[in-house]
Amino acid sequence: MDLTALRSFHEVCRQGSISAAAQALGYTQSAVSRQLATLETALRGPLLRRHARGVQPTAAGEALLVHAAAILARVEQAAEEVAAARTRQPGRLRVGAVPTAVGHLLPRALTAYAATDPGIRVSFAEGVTPRLLPRLRDGKLDLVVVTDYPPGLPVLDGVRVLHLLDDRLHLAVARTHRLAGTGPVDLAELADEAWVEDYAGAAAILTSACGRAGFTPRVEIETGGWMGKLAFVAAGFGVCLVPGLLVPAVRVDITICELRDPPVRAVYAALRDREADSGPAARFAAALAEAAFA
Amino acid sequence: MDLTALRSFHEVCRQGSISAAAQALGYTQSAVSRQLATLETALRGPLLRRHARGVQPTAAGEALLVHAAAILARVEQAAEEVAAARTRQPGRLRVGAVPTAVGHLLPRALTAYAATDPGIRVSFAEGVTPRLLPRLRDGKLDLVVVTDYPPGLPVLDGVRVLHLLDDRLHLAVARTHRLAGTGPVDLAELADEAWVEDYAGAAAILTSACGRAGFTPRVEIETGGWMGKLAFVAAGFGVCLVPGLLVPAVRVDITICELRDPPVRAVYAALRDREADSGPAARFAAALAEAAFA
DNA sequence: ACGAGCCATGCCTGACACGCATGGCTGGGA
DNA sequence: TCCCAGCCATGCGTGTCAGGCATGGCTCGT
């Protein structure tokens, strides 16, 4: 069976005439006649009764006609769906990122990316690494920027992880703090300081770094989010570690000091394996790598 | 679009490899590769992402795949239908019906039908709804007249159900019964009567109707078939409910009384979907609708 | 660095699809 | 009864096509 022949058969039944159908479809009468003959050979018997003035379907022809109509309709629908999938697909890219990447890295990546995929709208969501990766895997996000910040970077099936950069942590203190304007600072000089952390789990890097310097940090303020965290530091309630990526975004009444032998965290882009080689997510990952390198 | 290419595309997606699909379909790898290229040209863009070890459908390819599967299944079904139409005895229509429809509705439908399809011989079979529908689905009957009589009208794939009429139930009593010649009768007046039913399952409408009237019917006679049932009623052993369709066929020593707020059952014609739009079964269904309307 | 596996493509060839021309059949009108 | 118009089937010829063979390029695993 052949779609061209089914189409001709359908039109012949509709018009009741091979000649009329040929004209309607842009064939000669003999071409359509032969198409029908081929179809009848394939289906082992006549589908039409030929008369002096036109044709009429046999019982087998009537049986076929119902299917032919359905098949042709479905073929047309398939073409429409495919066209719609093409115009739909390049519309949207959903990116999730840890907050520290949103502030600086992502805008630079978006600038580079927009030139390569002008038709694609990118949306961003903030989150922590342990929450972003499952949303990527479940299809709710198309690409995520995550870190190996404790508890670390889990390995997920079907997810491709690309290293973007190593990010040094810095010390943030109030403008009036005794260490403001100095540096590089040894962590050991901070043994008696009060620390501000956003949640107890995130303090693991701090704890291990201070451990290496010979002391346990005294976390006096636990608060949610960088806004709150930096507000307490600015007010003099304590000090905190800040990733290099965040340094350009720090408020004016806070001073950043470099640390001697600072803790380092790695930053990654993660996307689904099957989208890792081509498509909008892959191109955005390339733009991120470019932005990270600069 | 071309069925050969759709078939190849489908198999390539199934196997994840052009080479494997070519082998399965009896082509060389290059032939299938070119078929896919032609399909992608026709649909104006890639349908597959090519990798070093196999291929994967794009979003457009996934959209097409669903349709391709459906189209190919329908093509196969069409060939089967055409073959079946050839082997089916020409000029034969096998109708099944619940007994109450055979008595009156079917003869009137046959009269109208015979004029439109003179060459077709119709045969009839009696049965209950739960047995008629499977025989229709299995191809042993071409059309059935059924009701939503308990346990109701099941939904079967591939079966088209057409509503014919709503049929009120009536009370049948012996000529000597105290209620003979009266009406309309309240069901509540029958709380102390003995009831005749043809089988326990069919009593569901009776039971629910009497339940609404505040009593449980006392079924004293269970017998098979309307002949036996009406015989016991005529003999004074009890009363029973009779469909409106059967009223003209009731024996003379039984009196029919109308019920106030009678139970109602719906009567339907059922035929296979693929025969619902044209052919003898469709035309008989039209004749049934005409007969039901009168 | 090398080889296996897979896909794309150039080249070639036999098969195919279609137009043109023509013959045969049927039915309606004169 | 005859003739003609309308329609379908088929022979012939030709340009196009579908698929096999061979080969090159790329990627990934060892």
Side-chain angles (χ1 to χ4, degrees):
Chain A
M1 243 190 290
D2 171 45
L3 289 178
T4 301
L6 280 183
R7 205 168 276 126
S8 294
F9 174 71
H10 183 262
E11 184 69 14
V12 165
C13 289
R14 202 174 77 81
Q15 305 245 15
S17 157
I18 293 176
S19 302
Q23 192 158 36
L25 293 170
Y27 292 110
T28 62
Q29 173 269 324
S30 61
V32 173
S33 179
R34 243 187 286 261
Q35 286 169 5
L36 296 172
T38 305
L39 192 56
E40 284 172 326
T41 299
L43 292 171
R44 302 173 188 282
L47 299 167
L48 296 167
R49 254 188 296 276
R50 274 78 165 177
H51 303 295
R53 284 174 175 32
V55 296
Q56 216 176 20
T58 61
E62 283 192 356
L64 178 64
L65 186 56
V66 174
H67 289 284
I71 290 166
L72 295 172
R74 193 73 195 245
V75 161
E76 205 167 320
Q77 194 184 357
E80 284 167 15
E81 286 282 318
V82 167
R86 290 199 199 293
T87 61
R88 183 164 58 240
Q89 181 195 355
R92 196 67 195 296
L93 183 69
R94 299 160 297 173
V95 176
V98 293
T100 50
V102 172
H104 180 67
L105 188 63
L106 289 182
R108 283 166 55 191
L110 183 58
T111 302
Y113 173 75
T116 63
D117 284 355
I120 292 190
R121 274 194 325 115
V122 187
S123 62
F124 298 101
E126 285 191 12
V128 293
T129 298
R131 292 198 181 100
L132 290 171
L133 285 168
R135 290 174 71 191
L136 170 75
R137 185 194 57 207
D138 295 343
K140 296 185 179 70
L141 294 169
D142 300 309
L143 180 146
V144 295
V145 180
V146 291
T147 75
D148 60 0
Y149 217 63
L153 192 63
V155 172
L156 292 179
D157 276 357
V159 167
R160 179 82 58 86
V161 175
L162 310 171
H163 179 265
L164 292 179
L165 59 88
D166 289 330
D167 190 18
R168 288 193 190 90
L169 296 177
H170 295 69
L171 180 70
V173 299
R175 298 283 298 274
T176 57
H177 192 274
R178 63 183 174 90
L179 292 172
T182 69
V185 174
D186 277 333
L187 259 177
E189 295 182 57
L190 300 163
D192 293 326
E193 296 285 341
W195 292 84
V196 184
E197 266 303 345
D198 46 283
Y199 61 96
I205 283 195
L206 175 67
T207 303
S208 68
C210 294
R212 290 196 295 273
F215 73 94
T216 299
R218 194 175 77 253
V219 178
E220 289 203 344
I221 306 288
E222 273 189 32
T223 179
W226 284 102
M227 294 282 281
K229 194 171 179 176
L230 295 177
F232 282 96
V233 168
F237 285 92
V239 299
C240 72
L241 295 181
V242 179
L245 280 177
L246 200 66
V247 163
V250 158
R251 53 193 282 166
V252 298
D253 51 357
I254 279 182
T255 299
I256 297 296
C257 306
E258 289 201 12
L259 290 169
R260 183 167 289 124
D261 295 327
V264 172
R265 66 170 190 171
V267 180
Y268 305 88
L271 63 176
R272 283 180 290 277
D273 267 332
R274 60 179 180 274
E275 291 163 11
D277 297 315
S278 63
R283 288 191 284 277
F284 196 84
L288 278 168
E290 192 179 322
F293 187 77
Chain B
M1 245 189 292
D2 170 45
L3 289 178
T4 301
L6 278 185
R7 204 167 279 123
S8 293
F9 175 70
H10 184 262
E11 186 68 16
V12 165
C13 291
R14 202 175 77 80
Q15 305 245 14
S17 155
I18 293 176
S19 303
Q23 191 159 34
L25 294 171
Y27 292 109
T28 62
Q29 174 269 323
S30 61
V32 174
S33 179
R34 240 186 288 263
Q35 286 168 5
L36 296 172
T38 304
L39 192 57
E40 284 173 326
T41 299
L43 291 171
R44 303 173 185 283
L47 299 168
L48 295 167
R49 252 190 298 275
R50 274 83 164 168
H51 305 293
R53 280 169 176 40
V55 296
Q56 219 174 18
T58 60
E62 286 189 356
L64 178 64
L65 187 56
V66 174
H67 290 283
I71 289 165
L72 295 172
R74 193 71 195 247
V75 163
E76 205 167 320
Q77 197 183 357
E80 285 167 15
E81 283 290 306
V82 168
R86 291 197 200 294
T87 62
R88 194 154 53 230
Q89 186 182 341
R92 186 77 189 292
L93 182 70
R94 298 158 299 173
V95 176
V98 292
T100 48
V102 174
H104 181 66
L105 188 62
L106 289 181
R108 283 166 55 189
L110 184 59
T111 302
Y113 173 75
T116 63
D117 282 353
I120 291 192
R121 275 194 324 115
V122 187
S123 62
F124 295 97
E126 283 191 17
V128 293
T129 299
R131 291 199 181 98
L132 290 172
L133 285 167
R135 291 173 71 192
L136 170 75
R137 184 194 58 206
D138 295 343
K140 296 183 179 74
L141 294 170
D142 298 309
L143 180 146
V144 295
V145 181
V146 291
T147 76
D148 59 1
Y149 221 75
L153 193 61
V155 173
L156 292 179
D157 276 358
V159 168
R160 177 84 59 89
V161 175
L162 310 171
H163 179 267
L164 293 176
L165 59 88
D166 288 327
D167 191 13
R168 288 194 190 86
L169 296 178
H170 295 71
L171 178 70
V173 298
R175 298 285 299 276
T176 56
H177 193 275
R178 64 184 175 87
L179 292 172
T182 69
V185 174
D186 278 333
L187 260 178
E189 294 181 62
L190 301 163
D192 293 325
E193 296 287 340
W195 289 85
V196 184
E197 269 300 344
D198 45 346
Y199 61 94
I205 281 195
L206 176 67
T207 303
S208 66
C210 294
R212 289 195 294 274
F215 71 95
T216 298
R218 194 175 78 254
V219 177
E220 290 204 345
I221 306 289
E222 273 189 31
T223 179
W226 283 103
M227 293 285 280
K229 194 171 179 179
L230 294 177
F232 281 101
V233 168
F237 284 92
V239 299
C240 75
L241 296 181
V242 178
L245 281 178
L246 201 65
V247 164
V250 159
R251 51 193 281 169
V252 300
D253 50 356
I254 277 181
T255 299
I256 295 298
C257 308
E258 288 202 9
L259 290 167
R260 182 166 289 121
D261 297 328
V264 174
R265 65 172 191 168
V267 180
Y268 304 90
L271 62 175
R272 283 179 290 275
D273 266 329
R274 58 181 179 269
E275 291 163 11
D277 297 316
S278 62
R283 288 191 283 277
F284 197 84
L288 278 168
E290 194 180 317
F293 187 78

